Amino acid sequence: MKKQPECQSSYWEYDVFLKEIDVAIIGSGLVGLNAAIYLAENYPKLKIVVLERGYLPVGASTRNAGFACFGSMTELLDDLSTQKEDEVWKLVEQRYRGLQKLRKRLGDKTLDYIPYGGFELFSKDEEDSYQECMDHMSAFNRTLSSITGAKVTFSSAEHKIKDFGLSNIKYLIHNKEEGGLHPGKMMAALQKKSRTLGITILSGVEVTHFEEDHQQVVLRFYNGQAITANRLLVATNGFAKQLLPKLGVTPARNQVFITKPIPGLQLQGTFHFDKGYIYFRNVDNRILIGGARNIDPVTEATVSFGATSVIQNYLVRFVDQYILSDTPNWEVDQSWSGIMGIGSTKKPIVSHIGRRVVAAVRLGGMGVALGSLLGEEGANLLMEC
């Protein structure tokens, strides 16, 4: 008898889970599940299988800080210095629309959405940067009014500095259209909605490569097994380079930690510093802070999870200097990291990479804002195959 390959699925597994797949989706994060849900709602007869390498969506969907944001003023000014103006504002509109789709799909209560707004901080050494923001604020608000519907999105908010208990901060700019949410509850709700719609989510399945012919796509797993599907959506974002090395997506690790509870913590909202590279918020009377990958970009261009003393120490000093200068004995409770997908431009990639294959990746650290919208765009493009 001819020896059979190892790691084969059983007859029962194949018959129920792996046979006659209409759409396979690699990645069960924000983009992947939003795409799956959209397809199931609009094409209910499709058999949709989502493949995830981890027990939870590996990457950033459950590892981000829960910022429902679409760009601080210094970040947008920096983007305008390197990109065309219409492209920058188109991306801002995509982020804002994506947030509204997410909120509509799951509901603010489910998301633990808190509409306190976002705040950008400026130290006493950043007078020029703050003044540049003030010079552009009226124009930004006029442009944003057609996107958010609000006459005033950005405004100065120095009076809040003392209320928040911040130190060594001279200026504050408020974005009233931003908020915070709970990434864990968000992803749990997306998983629940997916399963309710009959979508199969298979965890612990790492796709190493795929091949397309004129009839189907063959997906090959790490354990040597393979399945076929009529169409494939690649929604791995931070890990896209491993499957699609020529697509122009670079991994970017963001390190995060959260403190133990701090009595009397006054912060309310989401906070940005240094063009959005540093971000923090109050979560259950704890400081959650992350970012700073720009101080060591080479090391942080990795798909490996973990922490480095360079960035962890930097974030600790930031907390001491600006957030908890009057609380000397605060302690870190947990730390973790997430992997984003970035590139030479912040423009996301939603495109055909084969006749039956579409990629929806390179979210540039704005997965919460863009995931719902790009998932739907990728799903629609896939159905044109």
Side-chain angles (χ1 to χ4, degrees), residues 113-119 174-180 268-271:
Y113 181 79
I114 305 173
Y116 286 146
F119 296 87
H174 183 216
N175 179 341
K176 75 182 190 69
E177 297 299 313
E178 295 187 341
Q268 287 186 334
T270 55
F271 294 81

Side-chain angles (χ1 to χ4, degrees), residues 129-359:
S129 178
Y130 174 75
Q131 191 56 54
E132 184 182 13
C133 289
M134 295 304 295
D135 291 343
H136 287 82
M137 188 174 285
S138 294
F140 274 30
N141 283 333
R142 284 194 297 271
T143 301
L144 283 166
S145 65
S146 63
I147 297 173
T148 67
K151 289 184 179 180
V152 176
T153 299
F154 291 112
S155 61
S156 59
E158 281 73 55
H159 62 285
K160 289 281 189 180
I161 294 174
K162 186 176 180 180
D163 294 343
F164 292 147
L166 299 170
S167 302
N168 302 305
I169 296 298
K170 190 172 183 179
Y171 303 108
L172 207 61
I173 291 178
H174 183 216
N175 179 341
K176 75 182 190 69
E177 297 299 313
E178 295 187 341
L181 51 77
H182 192 302
K185 293 181 179 180
M186 172 185 67
M187 291 309 303
L190 286 172
Q191 289 179 344
K192 181 178 179 180
K193 192 172 187 69
S194 297
R195 293 188 170 104
T196 299
L197 290 167
I199 296 163
T200 298
I201 303 174
L202 300 179
S203 299
V205 180
E206 183 174 355
V207 179
T208 57
H209 61 287
F210 60 86
E211 305 140 14
E212 180 185 7
D213 59 31
H214 65 285
Q215 290 183 324
Q216 61 187 5
V217 183
V218 180
L219 294 87
R220 302 195 181 277
F221 301 163
Y222 184 79
N223 64 3
Q225 193 175 351
I227 62 170
T228 62
N230 291 333
R231 297 178 177 90
L232 171 64
L233 176 68
V234 180
T236 54
N237 196 31
F239 296 89
K241 189 173 183 179
Q242 294 178 320
L243 284 173
L244 304 166
K246 297 180 180 180
L247 205 56
V249 183
T250 301
R253 180 174 63 190
N254 258 16
Q255 300 181 38
V256 181
F257 71 70
I258 191 167
T259 69
K260 291 183 178 180
I262 300 166
L265 190 62
Q266 302 172 60
L267 289 176
Q268 287 186 334
T270 55
F271 294 81
H272 310 260
F273 186 81
D274 190 12
K275 302 174 186 175
Y277 279 110
I278 295 177
Y279 45 85
F280 62 94
R281 60 183 289 212
N282 179 344
V283 177
D284 299 329
N285 290 318
R286 307 163 181 255
I287 295 293
L288 184 153
I289 184 169
R293 63 182 173 83
N294 57 319
I295 69 170
D296 192 10
V298 175
T299 301
E300 297 309 295
T302 178
V303 294
S304 298
F305 294 98
T308 64
S309 58
V310 171
I311 288 181
Q312 292 291 306
N313 291 339
Y314 184 92
L315 294 175
V316 167
R317 289 195 300 271
F318 186 93
V319 173
D320 280 333
Q321 183 175 1
Y322 297 113
I323 309 173
L324 298 177
S325 63
D326 295 329
T327 310
N329 296 318
W330 63 272
E331 296 179 69
V332 174
D333 191 19
Q334 292 176 258
S335 63
W336 64 90
S337 60
I339 311 297
M340 310 181 304
I342 62 174
S344 58
T345 173
K346 290 187 176 181
K347 183 179 180 181
I349 296 173
V350 183
S351 64
H352 281 284
I353 54 174
R355 195 168 70 86
R356 295 173 174 270
V357 183
V358 168

Side-chain angles (χ1 to χ4, degrees), residues 38-48 379-380 383-384:
Y38 179 81
L39 287 170
E41 290 175 337
N42 289 274
Y43 304 91
K45 293 184 179 180
L46 289 179
K47 181 174 181 177
I48 303 166
N380 281 323
M383 295 312 293
E384 295 176 5

Side-chain angles (χ1 to χ4, degrees), residues 48-169:
I48 303 166
V49 177
V50 181
L51 307 169
E52 171 57 50
R53 69 168 65 192
Y55 66 95
L56 290 173
V58 174
S61 292
T62 55
R63 293 175 166 264
N64 63 77
F67 278 47
C69 62
F70 49 88
S72 63
M73 283 204 71
T74 56
E75 180 184 358
L76 295 177
L77 285 168
D78 187 53
D79 292 344
L80 287 166
S81 70
T82 59
Q83 301 174 58
K84 295 180 180 178
E85 184 174 359
D86 60 338
E87 292 179 353
V88 171
W89 292 115
K90 180 181 178 182
L91 183 54
V92 170
E93 182 178 6
Q94 286 180 310
R95 293 168 178 171
Y96 184 79
R97 285 173 54 209
L99 286 170
Q100 306 320 303
K101 280 183 176 291
L102 177 65
R103 292 172 64 187
K104 183 178 180 181
R105 172 162 283 153
L106 299 180
D108 286 354
K109 185 177 180 180
T110 299
L111 290 167
D112 261 1
Y113 181 79
I114 305 173
Y116 286 146
F119 296 87
E120 182 165 15
L121 289 71
F122 299 82
S123 69
K124 62 183 180 180
D125 299 323
E126 297 178 296
E127 182 87 37
D128 291 344
S129 178
Y130 174 75
Q131 191 56 54
E132 184 182 13
C133 289
M134 295 304 295
D135 291 343
H136 287 82
M137 188 174 285
S138 294
F140 274 30
N141 283 333
R142 284 194 297 271
T143 301
L144 283 166
S145 65
S146 63
I147 297 173
T148 67
K151 289 184 179 180
V152 176
T153 299
F154 291 112
S155 61
S156 59
E158 281 73 55
H159 62 285
K160 289 281 189 180
I161 294 174
K162 186 176 180 180
D163 294 343
F164 292 147
L166 299 170
S167 302
N168 302 305
I169 296 298

